[in-house]
Every structure is written in C-alpha cells, then in structure tokens.
Amino acid sequence: MEIAPGVYALTQRQGGHVHAFLLDDGTGLTLIDTLFDTDGRRVLAQIGRLRRAPTDLKHIILTHGHRSHLGGLAALKRVSGATVYGHEWEADVVAGDRKAQAVPLRPMRPLAAYWRVYHLQLGLALGFGAHPPCPLDQVVRNGDRIGPVEVLHTPGHSPGHLALHWPERRVLFAGDAIATWPLLAPGWPAFNLNRRQHRVSLGGMAELAAAIVAVGHGAPITEGAADRLRALAASLEV
Ligand SMILES: [Zn+2]
Ligand SMILES: [Zn+2]
C-alpha cells in the first residue's frame, strides 16, 4: 500500500501485525525494518512491483533490535548488498551476539484493554527469539541522513531505538515508540524499558507535525496525525 508518494507499507500478521516501509525517492530504494519472515519475500515482491531489482535496494535501516523487525534482514542483505544501519546500542543484538533485553510483563490499565494487551504482551515476549543474525555496516546518530530520511534517536522502547523522518513528504516512521495495534497507544507501557526517555522522545516526534505517522505494529496514522501524536505525547506527561 502506498501511504504517501514513494512510501510503501508492507505488513504481515505474524510478529504482531508488524510493518516495514520501502521508500522510493526516485534514485535508490531505502527499507525501514525487514518484517518477521526470514526470507524477505514480501519486500522483494514489492521491489518487483516497482519494476526494480533487489540490487536497487541501497539502504536498510533498523529502528531497533527486536525479532519482529529483523526477520528478513540477513536474506535481504544477501540479495541486495544494501548498507545496513542502526544505533550502536542495538548493534550486538542485531549481529546475534546479545539477546534483546527482556521487559517485565506488567498488566496495563484500563482493565477493558487488559486481555487484548495481555495477549499482545505474550505474543511479543515470544517474539524476542533468535533471528538470522547480520551485522550492522554503519552505526548512525541523531541528525544523520540516510537516503531520503533523517535519523532521530528516540530511546525509551529500547535504548538504541530510532525513528526516521522524511521531511519533504511529511512522513514520520515512529517504530515501536507508538503502536496502533491492537489499539492506538504511545507504545505499550509494559514494553518501554525507560518511560522517562520514551516521554521525551515522543515529545520530540510530536514537534515535527508530520502528516503521516507510520508505526511498527498496526496501520499507519493518516488522518490528523500531528494532533493525535501531540495528544499521545501529552497523555504521558502525568
Ligand atoms: Zn520493539
Ligand atoms: Zn516491535
């Protein structure tokens, strides 16, 4: 699905309706995260629909080192030769040298949402398993530019979590800092390692006033995105 000019959302049910995004700025292709499947076939199919070759994929950017987002990494790196980018804090997880830090499962309120979130927590907890490892080629920092997007270091969900911003298209890729599945939420309270950092990160993202906010789990926010993001950020300030 093309959610903005040159921005293609790819998804699958496994890994908690995980999403990845293929960007076409008219030169090379840039991929943000790699879905859950380990063969990369959904990404390769989209590249084919654009009448491009796998080797046109120049950049693979990882928002963070959780299993759902890393499945296709090794396979896609192999066929494309793309440069793989991430934050240095996630590098050894992505390379398979360290497990992602487990987050304690805490029930979330209000209770009405509890059961749905419980299952989500369980599913994601199980999703912390091994992925085909692949080292980063380049570590990136806040403010770096990769292909068409700017890097925002947005810790909280994990220490090296990245969001990406395509300013000309007004699209923000928020990773797991925001979720829309199973419900719109400022991430999942039980899955933010550092809630203070997460609040600061969300505030920074809200200031960008993006027209579209694409997230790691669930459908992108395409209507009133800036206002909804500001409301989410404000909801964390208590
Ligand atoms: Zn995550
Ligand atoms: Zn995730």
Side-chain angles (χ1 to χ4, degrees):
M1 184 175 66
E2 191 172 15
I3 60 172
V7 180
Y8 301 89
L10 307 168
T11 185
Q12 64 177 121
R13 277 182 72 85
Q14 251 178 308
H17 292 258
V18 71
H19 278 63
F21 301 93
L22 187 66
L23 316 184
D24 183 359
D25 65 357
T27 58
L29 301 174
T30 299
L31 182 68
I32 299 174
D33 288 341
T34 65
L35 295 179
F36 184 89
D37 288 334
T38 55
D39 56 12
R41 67 191 150 87
R42 292 166 207 267
V43 175
L44 293 172
Q46 181 62 47
I47 291 173
R49 281 194 290 275
L50 297 176
R51 298 171 191 273
R52 307 290 282 271
T55 49
D56 290 329
L57 179 59
K58 300 301 182 192
H59 313 289
I60 300 174
I61 312 169
L62 302 168
T63 58
H64 63 300
H66 283 164
R67 168 67 183 85
S68 305
H69 308 269
L70 300 176
L73 174 62
L76 291 165
K77 167 71 182 181
R78 208 158 42 235
V79 297
S80 69
T83 305
V84 179
Y85 307 84
H87 191 274
E88 63 180 345
W89 215 98
E90 313 279 325
D92 53 352
V93 178
V94 176
D97 297 333
R98 176 169 65 87
K99 284 184 180 173
Q101 188 173 347
V103 181
L105 294 180
R106 277 188 285 106
M108 173 187 171
R109 297 187 191 286
L111 282 176
Y114 173 73
W115 284 108
R116 279 196 298 174
V117 171
Y118 174 77
H119 288 291
L120 171 69
Q121 290 176 338
L122 202 63
L124 286 182
L126 294 172
F128 276 110
H131 61 282
C134 177
L136 296 181
D137 295 310
Q138 218 168 299
V139 297
V140 293
R141 292 183 186 167
N142 192 60
D144 285 353
R145 182 122 189 176
I146 306 167
V149 292
E150 287 173 0
V151 173
L152 299 150
H153 182 213
T154 49
H157 177 73
S158 69
H161 187 276
L162 302 178
L164 291 315
H165 184 220
W166 191 348
E168 292 81 8
R169 309 272 160 104
R170 296 189 62 207
V171 183
L172 171 68
F173 304 90
D176 279 3
I178 299 168
T180 63
W181 181 87
L183 67 175
L184 176 65
W188 306 290
F191 275 97
N192 290 317
L193 282 175
N194 186 317
R195 285 186 286 171
R196 185 191 58 76
Q197 283 184 345
H198 181 243
R199 194 171 63 221
V200 172
S201 294
L202 218 60
M205 286 190 273
E207 284 173 19
L208 299 172
I212 294 174
V213 176
V215 302
H217 299 268
I221 305 169
T222 55
E223 310 247 322
D227 287 343
R228 294 172 87 175
L229 188 45
R230 272 192 290 270
L232 283 179
S235 75
L236 290 179
E237 277 167 17
V238 278

